[in-house]
């Protein structure tokens, strides 16, 4: 393990070089005044696509902070350093590297990796060392009901998504009566599948199929055949990008003709639509954020959603998704807590996070008693042609829903 960690440490070079150059600049807030943020990231393995999004947007954020001369804390400038390691989509390794970041690298705060399952592992480590942890891509209530006092999440609970989606689809398709639910047996996808089945049942829909598939499943044809036999009006599948691409292809191969196909959170990612081409058309999803939202006068590195969008497109040439938005906002929230605390003292920062009630370019952040962001209206989106359209809520909608033909 020791040799592995030495090898992984090479991954911190780009962020650390920026921070080191910055240290020679403005006066420090105190003698050792550096805000040191640590993060275990899945840069290889099954969640590499998602982990690289976190890495990219945090580097964009760090560049912005550095260009502005650091963060203002107690009337003085404080540099920011970002240290991260590749945990290779291995949950156990994520926990080990979180501990290394705290004990060896001396980070003041932690950012959680992608997904509820790995966040839960890292949260246990953060709690043991009483180190504030902000999770930007973990929405399962099962992560936040463990009594953790140092864990805070910028995503709202899963149930907010499923209840609004059921209500919206019933309105748009009055004859909707049968739904099939097919979810990956992993913390976040399982939670979403469970929540949708419950929301559908509570709304009077008949859940004609409700099964989970194992992590690593490479063939969904048996499940898809069973779903076809049940003749649902709506198919709801959860999983990660490659799971959903495969599932959608096999639905087409086996002649599925359900008018509504929802995949969470496939269409939120460019690789989903790129990987499916025309087969992505009409697929719906739900997401926590879309750049069409128009928040202004916000705290943090960007003063509005439009400002963030402009910088992101200039850097990467494409649109940001909810992972980019939530994770950049999480960094802003951490800084706001340090500024409120007036130092990097972990207990003071934790208390400041618990009292947070701010507006970011991503939207409002108001942590509840369990550390989760309070529920708000979250967008329902649909692939239409080559574009992602917002169907709901009405305030930011830019298209009407279409049925799959």
């Amino acid at each position: 393990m020791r040799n592995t960690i030495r090898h992984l440490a090479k991954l911190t070079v780009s962020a650390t070089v920026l921070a080191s150059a910055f240290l020679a600049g403005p006066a420090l807030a105190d003698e050792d005044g550096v805000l040191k943020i640590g993060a275990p990231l899945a840069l290889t393995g099954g969640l590499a696509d998602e982990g690289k999004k976190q890495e990219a947007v945090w580097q964009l954020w760090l560049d912005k902070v550095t260009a502005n001369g650091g963060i203002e804390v107690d009337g003085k400038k404080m540099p920011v350093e970002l240290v991260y390691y590749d945990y290779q989509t291995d949950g156990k390794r994520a926990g080990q590297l979180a501990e290394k970041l705290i004990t060896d690298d001396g980070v003041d705060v932690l950012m959680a990796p992608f997904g509820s399952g790995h966040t839960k592992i890292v949260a246990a480590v953060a709690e043991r060392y009483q180190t504030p942890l902000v999770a930007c891509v973990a929405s399962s209530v099962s992560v936040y009901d463990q009594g953790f006092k140092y864990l805070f999440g910028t995503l709202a609970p899963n149930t907010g998504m499923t209840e609004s989606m059921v209500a919206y689809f019933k309105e748009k398709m009055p004859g909707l009566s049968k739904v099939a639910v097919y979810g990956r047996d992993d913390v976040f996808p399982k939670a979403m599948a469970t929540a949708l089945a419950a929301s559908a049942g509570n709304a009077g829909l008949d859940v004609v199929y409700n099964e989970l598939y194992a992590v690593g499943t490479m063939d969904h044809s048996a499940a898809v055949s069973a779903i076809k036999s049940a003749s649902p009006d709506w198919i709801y599948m959860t999983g990660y990008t490659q799971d959903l691409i495969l599932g959608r292809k096999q639905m087409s191969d086996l002649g599925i003709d359900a008018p509504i196909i929802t995949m969470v959170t496939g269409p939120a990612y460019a690789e989903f639509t790129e990987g499916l081409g025309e087969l992505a058309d009409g697929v719906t999803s739900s997401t926590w954020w879309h750049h069409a939202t128009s928040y202004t006068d916000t705290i943090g590195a960007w003063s509005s959603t439009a400002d963030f969008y402009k910088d992101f497109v200039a850097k990467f040439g494409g649109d940001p998704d909810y992972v980019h938005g939530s994770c950049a906002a999480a960094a802003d929230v951490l800084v706001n807590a340090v500024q409120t605390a007036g130092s990097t003292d972990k207990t003071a920062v934790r208390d400041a996070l618990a009292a947070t009630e701010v507006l970011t370019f991503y939207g409002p952040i108001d942590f509840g008693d369990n550390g989760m962001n309070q529920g708000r209206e979250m967008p329902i989106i649909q692939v239409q042609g080559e574009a992602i359209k917002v169907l709901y809520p009405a305030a930011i909608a830019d298209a009407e829903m279409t049925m799959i033909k």
Side-chain angles (χ1 to χ4, degrees):
M1 180 63 192
R2 192 173 298 275
N3 289 337
T4 302
I5 288 174
R6 284 184 184 137
H7 172 69
L8 292 173
K10 295 177 182 178
L11 292 169
T12 68
V13 171
S14 61
T16 304
V17 166
L18 277 173
S20 297
F22 186 23
L23 288 175
L28 302 183
D30 54 60
E31 186 177 353
D32 298 313
V34 179
L35 173 59
K36 203 168 187 179
I37 302 173
L41 290 175
L43 301 177
T44 57
L47 294 178
D49 288 344
E50 289 80 4
K52 288 176 182 176
K53 290 183 179 183
Q54 292 179 279
E55 178 191 31
V57 82
W58 283 334
Q59 193 64 63
L60 178 69
W61 175 86
L62 182 61
D63 290 346
K64 185 84 169 179
V65 168
T66 303
N68 289 334
I71 62 173
E72 191 84 14
V73 179
D74 198 23
K76 299 180 181 179
K77 287 294 186 177
M78 179 179 286
V80 179
E81 182 178 351
L82 176 63
V83 184
Y84 56 89
Y85 298 113
D86 179 12
Y87 73 91
Q88 302 171 346
T89 314
D90 181 326
K92 181 178 179 181
R93 185 183 295 272
Q96 292 168 337
L97 291 175
E99 185 169 18
K100 170 183 165 48
L101 284 161
I102 296 169
T103 60
D104 292 355
D105 296 296
V107 300
D108 302 299
V109 292
L110 284 171
M111 293 288 215
F114 183 90
S116 294
H118 294 166
T119 291
K120 195 172 188 177
I121 294 169
V122 172
V125 176
E127 196 72 17
R128 188 162 72 249
Y129 288 97
Q130 297 187 345
T131 299
L133 171 68
V134 178
C136 55
V137 270
S139 62
S140 298
V141 175
S142 63
V143 178
Y144 299 88
D145 65 2
Q146 306 298 303
F148 295 136
K149 300 300 182 184
Y150 284 78
L151 171 65
F152 301 89
T154 51
L155 296 185
N158 297 332
T159 51
M161 284 189 172
T162 59
E163 290 170 359
S164 59
M165 181 170 273
V166 169
Y168 178 82
F169 285 174
K170 285 187 70 178
E171 176 188 344
K172 296 300 179 180
M173 185 179 174
L176 178 63
S177 62
K178 298 190 293 183
V179 59
V181 181
Y182 184 46
R184 174 174 163 134
D185 193 3
D186 201 354
V187 177
F188 167 70
K190 180 179 179 180
M192 291 301 298
T194 301
L196 190 282
S199 296
N202 292 339
L205 298 182
D206 184 11
V207 181
V208 295
Y209 184 91
N210 188 9
E211 298 291 339
L212 299 172
Y213 61 92
V215 175
T217 296
M218 299 302 293
D219 183 3
H220 300 289
S221 59
V224 171
S225 293
I227 290 170
K228 182 179 180 180
S229 297
S231 301
D233 308 304
W234 177 16
I235 299 171
Y236 183 93
M237 180 176 178
T238 71
Y240 295 117
T241 306
Q242 296 306 315
D243 301 322
L244 301 177
I245 288 174
L246 177 60
R248 180 67 187 101
K249 287 180 176 178
Q250 292 189 319
M251 288 179 197
S252 176
D253 291 343
L254 293 172
I256 287 283
D257 59 1
I260 304 176
I261 296 177
T262 299
M263 295 191 154
V264 175
T265 56
Y269 299 105
E271 53 265 34
F272 176 84
T273 51
E274 290 169 358
L276 281 173
E278 292 182 356
L279 280 181
D281 192 37
V283 175
T284 50
S285 191
S286 50
T287 186
W288 288 267
W289 177 81
H290 191 274
H291 61 79
T293 56
S294 301
Y295 296 106
T296 58
D297 298 321
T298 59
I299 63 115
W302 293 278
S303 61
S304 68
T305 309
D307 287 341
F308 172 75
Y309 181 70
K310 179 181 177 181
D311 283 356
F312 188 94
V313 172
K315 177 71 174 180
F316 302 111
D319 289 344
D321 62 25
Y322 82 91
V323 174
H324 298 117
S326 181
C327 290
D332 281 338
V333 167
L334 269 179
V335 165
N336 182 72
V338 171
Q339 291 171 323
T340 300
S343 74
T344 57
D345 178 80
K346 292 181 177 181
T347 300
V349 172
R350 181 266 161 210
D351 291 345
L353 283 167
T356 293
E357 189 173 349
V358 297
L359 180 66
T360 70
F361 76 86
Y362 158 82
I365 306 290
D366 178 8
F367 297 122
D369 291 340
N370 67 350
M372 293 193 82
N373 195 13
Q374 300 301 292
R376 56 193 177 93
E377 289 186 320
M378 290 169 284
I380 298 172
I381 61 176
Q382 183 176 40
V383 183
Q384 293 187 6
E386 297 181 356
I388 302 297
K389 296 295 185 179
V390 180
L391 306 179
Y392 171 93
I396 60 171
D398 60 5
E400 287 291 327
M401 182 180 175
T402 61
M403 301 297 166
I404 294 177
K405 298 177 181 179

